[in-house]
C-alpha cells in the first residue's frame, strides 16, 4: 500500500520514499523505454476525479505518468530505479497548482449552478488549455454571466475549503453532490457557503487562491449544455492574450480599445458595400468582354486573380455570346483554376483528357465544368491546340 502524502498536504511537492518495485514496461514500436516504479509513500497525485496526474522527477528521472492501481500508486519513469533505494521526489508545482485552481473553480461553478438551477455536473474534462463541464440542463449566455459573477464573488470572499471522510451515519446526513449514491470511505470536499461534493481530487485551501474564473462559452449539448471555462493563471494568461490582440486591432482601426467592435461593424458594412459595387462593375466588364467574342467558335482566356465565383460568371458571360467552347483559366503557372462551358457539346470527356494531360482534377455538368490543373500556360495552350476541332468528340 502506498501512503498518499498529497492528501495530508496538497502543498507538499518534495520528499523521500523507498522504492518497493521497478518494472520495465513493454515498449511499443518506436516508443522510448520506460519503467513503472512503486514507492512506499508518494507526493505524486495520480490521475483521478477528473484531475490529471502530477508530473516531476524521481532522483532527477522524469515522471511521465502517475496512476492508481488497487493499493499502489504507480509512477512511470524514463529510467530504472534500484529496488530498496531511497528516491527523492519532486513534483512540478506550477502544474499542480494550475490543476488545483481549475478543479477548485469547477467546484464553485457546479455548486452555484446546482443551487440556482438544480442541474447536475454530468461530465468534466480538464484539458491542457480549456476546461469543459457538461450539465444536465440548458443555460443561456445571460445565465452564464450571472453564474460567473456569483462565483467570482465567492472567490473574493476567500472562503475556506475543508476535506473530511465521514462515517457512514454522518455521510447520510450530508447534502453532497455526487453522480451516484456512495458507500464506504467517501472523501467530502466542502467550500464554505458554495459547494459540498464527493471528490478525490486536490483543491486549494481557500477560494482566494483560485484568483478568478472566466466562463468562455455555453452551448447546447445532448439534453443539457456544455460550458467552456478558465480559472486562475489560465484565465489571466488568456485575458493578456486577448487584451494584446484587441490593442493591436484598436491601433489598426484607429479606434479606442472599448470601441473596436463598433469599428469592425462599420468596416464590415463598408466592405459589404464595396463588394456589391465591385460585383456590379465586374458584371459590366464581363459583359463587355463577352461582346468581343460574339460568335467565336472557341475562346481561351487567361485572367489574373479571379475568385471562383468571378471565374464562373465570366465563363457564363462568354458562353452566352460565343458559338463554341469557352475556357477560362486564372492563377499562375503550376496552379491554375479553370472553368469550361459550351452551349452544345458535352464537356465531360474533354475535361477527363485535360485533367489527365495537365495533372488536374475537377468536373461538373455536360455544359459547364470547373477544376484546377498543375500546368503552365504554354502546356495548356498546347493541349487545346492538339485537341483542335475534335475537342468535343
Amino acid at each position: 500500500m502506498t501512503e498518499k502524502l498529497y492528501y495530508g498536504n496538497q502543498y507538499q511537492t518534495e520528499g523521500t520514499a523507498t522504492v518497493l518495485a521497478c518494472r520495465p514496461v513493454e515498449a511499443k514500436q518506436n516508443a522510448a523505454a520506460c519503467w513503472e516504479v512503486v514507492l512506499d509513500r508518494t507526493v505524486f497525485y495520480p490521475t483521478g476525479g477528473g484531475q490529471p496526474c502530477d508530473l516531476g522527477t524521481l532522483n532527477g528521472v522524469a515522471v511521465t505518468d502517475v496512476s492508481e492501481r488497487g493499493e499502489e500508486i504507480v509512477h512511470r519513469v524514463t529510467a530504472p530505479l534500484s529496488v530498496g533505494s531511497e528516491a527523492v521526489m519532486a513534483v512540478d508545482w506550477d502544474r499542480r497548482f494550475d490543476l488545483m485552481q481549475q478543479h477548485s473553480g469547477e467546484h464553485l461553478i457546479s455548486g452555484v449552478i446546482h443551487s440556482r438551477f438544480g442541474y447536475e455536473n454530468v461530465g468534466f474534462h480538464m484539458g491542457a488549455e480549456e476546461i469543459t463541464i457538461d450539465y444536465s440542463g440548458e443555460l443561456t449566455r445571460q445565465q452564464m454571466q450571472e453564474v460567473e459573477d456569483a462565483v467570482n464573488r465567492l472567490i473574493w470572499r476567500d472562503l475556506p475549503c475543508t476535506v473530511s471522510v465521514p462515517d457512514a451515519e454522518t455521510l447520510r446526513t450530508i447534502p453532497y453532490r455526487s453522480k451516484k449514491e456512495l458507500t464506504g470511505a467517501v472523501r467530502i470536499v466542502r467550500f464554505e457557503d458554495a459547494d459540498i461534493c464527493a471528490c478525490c481530487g486536490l483543491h486549494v485551501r481557500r477560494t482566494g487562491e483560485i484568483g478568478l474564473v472566466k466562463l468562455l462559452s455555453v452551448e447546447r449539448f445532448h439534453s443539457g449544455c456544455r460550458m467552456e471555462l478558465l480559472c486562475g493563471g489560465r484565465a489571466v494568461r488568456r485575458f493578456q492574450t486577448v487584451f494584446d490582440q484587441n490593442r493591436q486591432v484598436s491601433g489598426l482601426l484607429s479606434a479606442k480599445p472599448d470601441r473596436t467592435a463598433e469599428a469592425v461593424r462599420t468596416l464590415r458594412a463598408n466592405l459589404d458595400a464595396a463588394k456589391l459595387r465591385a460585383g456590379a462593375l465586374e458584371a459590366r466588364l464581363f459583359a463587355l468582354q463577352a461582346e468581343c467574342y460574339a460568335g467565336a467558335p472557341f475562346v481561351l482566356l487567361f485572367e489574373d486573380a479571379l475568385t471562383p465565383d468571378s471565374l464562373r460568371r465570366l465563363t457564363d458571360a462568354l458562353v452566352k455570346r460565343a458559338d463554341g467552347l469557352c475556357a477560362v483559366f486564372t492563377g499562375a503557372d503550376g496552379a491554375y483554376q479553370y472553368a469550361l462551358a459550351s452551349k452544345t457539346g458535352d464537356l465531360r470527356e474533354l475535361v477527363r483528357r485535360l485533367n489527365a494531360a495537365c495533372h488536374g482534377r475537377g468536373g461538373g455538368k455536360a455544359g459547364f465544368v470547373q477544376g484546377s490543373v498543375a500546368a503552365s500556360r504554354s502546356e495548356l495552350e498546347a493541349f487545346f491546340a492538339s485537341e483542335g476541332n475534335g475537342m468535343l468528340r
Side-chain angles (χ1 to χ4, degrees), residues 287-362:
L288 291 171
Q289 197 170 2
E291 285 296 331
C292 298
Y293 297 95
F298 172 56
V299 179
L300 175 61
L301 293 181
F302 291 86
E303 297 286 336
D304 292 332
L306 293 179
T307 65
D309 182 61
S310 294
L311 176 64
R312 177 191 59 77
R313 290 191 296 114
L314 173 56
T315 308
D316 187 59
L318 288 167
V319 78
K320 289 177 180 178
R321 302 298 297 151
D323 286 344
L325 171 67
C326 296
V328 182
F329 291 82
T330 186
D333 280 1
Y336 278 109
Q337 303 292 316
Y338 68 76
L340 277 63
S342 174
K343 287 184 290 192
T344 57
D346 190 330
L347 297 170
R348 287 173 291 191
E349 179 58 28
L350 172 64
V351 167
R352 187 193 66 76
R353 298 195 299 272
L354 171 64
N355 291 336
C358 298
H359 312 289
R361 56 185 301 176

Side-chain angles (χ1 to χ4, degrees), residues 168-183:
E169 183 176 351
T170 303
L171 182 65
R172 286 193 292 270
T173 67
I174 298 175
Y176 64 91
R177 291 188 300 108
S178 176
K179 297 181 178 66
K180 59 182 179 180
E181 185 177 352
L182 303 174
T183 58

Side-chain angles (χ1 to χ4, degrees), residues 142-153:
Q142 177 61 37
Q143 290 170 328
M144 182 186 77
Q145 187 60 58
E146 292 171 1
V147 169
E148 179 183 300
D149 293 342
V151 170
N152 280 307
R153 283 194 294 271

